[in-house]
Amino acid sequence: MMNLLLLLISLSEAQTVSPASDVSLSPAPATPTTPITVDAKTESYLLLESNSSLDFDTPGPAKIIVNSRRRMAGAAQRSAKAVLKAYGDGKQIMTIQVPGVAIPGGKINDRMAGFPSKAERVVITVPEGGNVLRLEAPMGGPDFFIQVSNKG
């Protein structure tokens, strides 16, 4: 029973992301990152798979920038926006609408490949006493790619 409790604790901590000293909020070691190329520039994104979530330590007050993209199958693919839910300390604070328009010259550099969507950028204000930002992908939806940073 104790081993199960320790496993649950380590699984819940594996997705926690801590703020860096300056601008970017960096991933915990167990959080996979994926390089995505757009306009000949490659950046790393956190992978947020369908039916999963990522937690970020965000002690308030702070302004947090969330850039999100989704995986698209084809270069000319267009579809409805996909929804990401944002929670602040367990309460839903925002729904992020990620565009369903592929970037033809873009590339997702992982084993599943595909094309990144256009990015959606939102600013989230963390109030005094706020602690955790959670981004959640719905079941049956696409994979999302996330970058989170302090506004500075």
Side-chain angles (χ1 to χ4, degrees), residues 23 25 48 54-68 84-97 120-128 130-136 146-152:
V23 176
L25 297 181
L48 177 56
L54 288 173
D55 290 343
F56 300 85
D57 291 328
T58 53
K63 290 200 182 285
I64 305 297
I65 298 170
V66 178
N67 286 313
S68 52
L84 266 177
K85 292 183 179 177
Y87 295 85
D89 296 325
K91 297 178 185 172
Q92 187 172 345
I93 56 173
M94 179 182 290
T95 299
I96 301 170
Q97 303 280 330
E120 178 66 17
R121 180 179 188 263
V122 297
V123 177
I124 297 175
T125 301
V126 179
E128 180 91 33
N131 291 303
V132 177
L133 170 67
R134 170 172 280 190
L135 298 175
E136 193 172 279
I146 309 295
Q147 291 178 323
V148 177
S149 59
N150 291 317
K151 190 168 180 181

Side-chain angles (χ1 to χ4, degrees), residues 98-114:
V98 182
V101 178
I103 298 175
K107 181 180 177 186
I108 299 173
N109 302 298
D110 68 2
R111 65 178 177 76
M112 290 182 66

